[in-house]
Amino acid sequence: MIIAIDGPAASGKGTIARRLAAHYRLPHLDTGLLYRATAATLIAEGRDLYDEESAVSAARGLGLTDFDETTLRSRQMAEAASVVAAMPGVRAALIEAQRAFAARPGGAVLDGRDIGTVVCPEATVKIFVTASAAARAQRRVVELANRGEKADYNAILADILRRDARDSDRAAAPLRAADDAVRLDTTHLGIESAVAEALRIVEAARIRA
C-alpha cells in the first residue's frame, strides 16, 4: 500500500503522513527534506543556490536518511528548498530515489508536493491536504515559537504566499491535487480530527481496492 500525501506548506500533511505511517507500520519519507538537504548542501559549500548544475550535483549526492532535521526545518531552509525544487534537473535527480523508497515491500507513506501526480501516480491512496494561508501561517508561528525561534506572523504569511506561488507556478511538477486525490481541508481541524479523517479516507480506499 502506497499512501501519497500532498499539499502546501504548513497544511499538516507531514504530521498526518507520520501518523498514518505509524498506524499502518509503514516507512515514511518526507520528500521535502530532500530538497531542503539539497539547498543546505549548496549553502554549506558556498555555492550559488540558483545554479542548477550545482544543485543537481548536490541532489545526486544525498542519502535518504542522513538529515539534520533541526537545521533543515528552519525558515531559511524552507525558502531555499522552494528555489531548488523548481529546477527540473533537481526533481529528475531525486525522483528515482523517491520511487525506490515507495517500492519497498509492503508499501510506504510519502509526503510532498508532487507525490500523487508525478512520483507515485499509481498510489493506493492519494490525499491532498490543504488549509487557508492564514491558518498555515499561524501554525508556523506556533511551531517556530515552540522551538525558540523568532516568529513574525506577517513575515511568515508573506513567506507562505511566496512559496505557494512558486510551487504552484513552476514548470516542473507544480503543486496541484491529482485528479483522483481526496481533498482534506484542515483549516478548522485539530490534528487529532485531521488524522482521524485521513484514516477514514485510507480505509475507504482500501475497501475499494
Side-chain angles (χ1 to χ4, degrees):
M1 178 171 66
I2 298 173
I3 302 176
I5 311 288
D6 290 306
S11 58
K13 68 181 183 299
T15 302
I16 290 170
R18 287 190 293 273
R19 294 281 288 273
L20 290 177
H23 181 85
Y24 292 107
R25 297 183 179 179
L26 293 172
H28 166 245
L29 178 62
D30 176 349
T31 64
L33 288 178
L34 301 177
Y35 297 97
R36 289 175 183 241
T38 298
T41 298
L42 294 174
I43 293 170
E45 296 178 358
R47 292 192 273 173
D48 183 359
L49 192 63
Y50 291 86
D51 180 351
E52 185 164 354
E53 185 176 344
S54 292
V56 169
S57 175
R60 286 178 175 158
L62 293 180
L64 286 180
T65 56
D66 53 349
F67 302 130
D68 177 359
E69 290 199 29
T70 302
T71 301
L72 297 183
R73 299 255 179 228
S74 70
R75 274 181 61 198
Q76 176 199 18
M77 218 51 71
E79 181 68 15
S82 188
V83 172
V84 299
M87 299 173 179
V90 172
R91 303 200 77 84
L94 293 175
I95 194 169
E96 290 308 317
Q98 295 173 67
R99 286 176 174 164
F101 187 93
R104 294 182 177 198
V109 180
L110 292 84
D111 73 83
R113 301 288 197 281
D114 64 344
I115 310 303
T117 54
V118 176
V119 178
C120 299
E122 78 295 345
T124 316
V125 189
K126 300 176 187 179
I127 304 176
F128 190 83
V129 184
T130 189
S132 71
R136 290 185 285 131
Q138 185 57 45
R139 291 171 188 170
R140 190 68 84 202
V141 166
V142 172
E143 177 187 338
L144 292 172
N146 286 341
R147 294 210 303 259
E149 294 186 38
K150 183 179 178 181
D152 180 291
Y153 173 83
N154 290 327
I156 290 171
L157 178 60
D159 282 348
I160 282 177
L161 292 173
R162 185 165 53 248
R163 288 180 63 192
D164 285 355
R166 184 183 291 137
D167 292 345
S168 299
D169 295 342
R170 68 191 181 208
L175 170 65
R176 67 175 182 83
D179 292 340
D180 54 347
V182 179
R183 287 180 175 269
L184 174 53
D185 189 331
T186 66
T187 301
H188 303 294
L189 296 178
I191 190 57
E192 296 302 329
S193 297
V195 170
E197 181 60 17
L199 283 168
R200 186 195 65 76
I201 292 168
V202 173
E203 287 303 310
R206 294 180 77 189
I207 291 171
R208 288 196 301 274

